[in-house]
């Protein structure tokens, strides 16, 4: 079983590494697939790798990533609880937003990833992650902070951590949304109740 999973994971990574779905791979240093656990109850999805992520080959390791990591750890998540990835696995030049065509092309990879990770709760960070999942651009203030239940999955949208880097006051809604995600995982019996940062 574990062997089967590992070989399916390897196949998936090769699929990403050899992807020709769009032209982004032509300019990257690394294809950025995930960090955290390969199987996890929580999947956190961002937009696309930036310069640091491209260099390290891991998602959310730059300034936004550090903020995200602080939020995650403040709710007591361990790496075995989450799988962090992006809608697009390759860095768009100049950190521009991925185009709808690039998002669509990379969705094939994300679908396989989703099937392997089998999360129960999904946290979409920012409007590109929402667009990648739902196929339309959201009005963020209308969609954030509420769970959408779809095919047995609980999907929450929040602001991208970069939004909080621009204005620290924006940290609060992301922190609140992360708390709802944490509570949902407890409600589903997938994590122990959160007892607070000093527990
Ligand atoms: N922003 C993202 O959306 N993803 C990353 O991996 C880093 C920054």
């Amino acid at each position: 079983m574990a062997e089967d999973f590992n070989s399916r994971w390897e196949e998936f990574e090769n699929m990403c590494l050899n992807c020709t779905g769009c032209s982004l791979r032509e300019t990257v240093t690394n294809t950025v697939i995930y960090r955290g656990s390969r199987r996890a109850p929580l999947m956190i999805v961002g937009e696309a790798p930036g310069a640091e992520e491209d260099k390290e080959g891991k998602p959310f390791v730059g300034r936004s990533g550090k903020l995200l990591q602080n939020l995650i750890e403040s709710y007591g998540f361990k790496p075995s609880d989450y799988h962090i990835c992006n809608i697009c696995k390759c860095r768009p030049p100049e950190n521009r937003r991925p185009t709808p065509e690039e998002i669509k092309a990379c969705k094939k990879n994300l679908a396989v990833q989703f099937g392997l990770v089998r999360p129960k709760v999904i946290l979409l960070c920012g409007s590109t992650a929402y667009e990648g999942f739902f196929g339309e651009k959201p009005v963020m203030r209308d969609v954030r902070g509420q769970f959408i239940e779809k095919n047995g999955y609980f999907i929450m949208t929040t602001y991208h951590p970069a939004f909080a880097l621009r204005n620290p006051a924006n940290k609060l809604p992301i922190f609140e949304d992360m708390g709802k995600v944490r509570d949902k995982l407890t409600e589903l019996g997938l994590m122990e109740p959160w007892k607070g940062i000093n527990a």
Side-chain angles (χ1 to χ4, degrees):
M1 178 67 187
E3 214 172 288
D4 182 44
F5 179 81
N6 288 341
S7 67
R8 283 166 61 214
W9 189 271
E10 204 175 310
E11 219 173 280
F12 156 67
E13 289 210 345
N14 285 333
M15 168 185 177
C16 297
L17 297 173
N18 297 311
C19 179
T20 52
C22 75
S23 60
L24 289 180
R25 273 195 72 247
E26 289 161 20
T27 52
V28 301
T29 308
N30 282 299
T31 305
V32 175
I33 300 178
Y34 82 106
R35 68 176 175 89
S37 186
R38 292 174 174 185
R39 267 272 166 87
L42 171 64
M43 186 182 233
I44 300 176
V45 188
E47 179 175 302
E52 284 300 314
E53 290 77 19
D54 180 59
K55 201 159 73 183
E56 276 197 42
K58 289 204 165 79
F60 281 106
V61 291
R63 282 182 71 221
S64 294
K66 298 218 160 61
L67 177 62
L68 178 66
Q69 194 61 30
N70 284 342
L71 288 170
I72 290 173
E73 286 174 12
S74 65
Y75 281 107
F77 286 101
K78 293 189 252 358
S80 55
D81 298 316
Y82 58 80
H83 178 97
I84 302 180
C85 60
N86 283 306
I87 286 294
C88 286
K89 298 194 167 20
C90 293
R91 181 192 183 202
E94 317 297 328
N95 291 346
R96 65 162 169 75
R97 188 186 170 109
T99 64
E101 291 72 33
E102 288 158 355
I103 293 175
K104 194 163 165 226
C106 216
K107 224 176 152 171
K108 294 186 191 77
N109 299 320
L110 189 63
V112 176
Q113 189 164 10
F114 194 82
L116 287 164
V117 179
R118 292 174 47 190
K120 275 282 165 212
V121 179
I122 300 128
L123 179 66
L124 303 176
C125 296
S127 60
T128 305
Y130 183 99
E131 189 182 342
F133 251 74
F134 295 112
E136 58 186 29
K137 284 195 171 57
V139 176
M140 282 301 289
R141 67 174 174 279
D142 292 348
V143 299
R144 74 141 276 256
Q146 297 160 45
F147 277 112
I148 297 173
E149 192 181 345
K150 204 175 164 194
N151 306 327
Y153 301 107
F154 294 87
I155 310 169
M156 163 75 72
T157 304
T158 194
Y159 296 114
H160 192 282
F163 182 59
L165 289 179
R166 289 196 284 276
N167 178 356
N170 296 333
K171 242 192 239 179
L172 186 63
I174 308 180
F175 186 76
E176 278 174 7
D177 297 345
M178 189 69 86
K180 292 180 198 166
V181 161
R182 181 68 178 80
D183 289 346
K184 179 62 78 182
L185 286 158
T186 301
E187 189 188 309
L188 295 171
L190 298 168
M191 281 184 81
E192 294 293 312
W194 182 61
K195 298 199 185 79
I197 204 159
N198 298 315

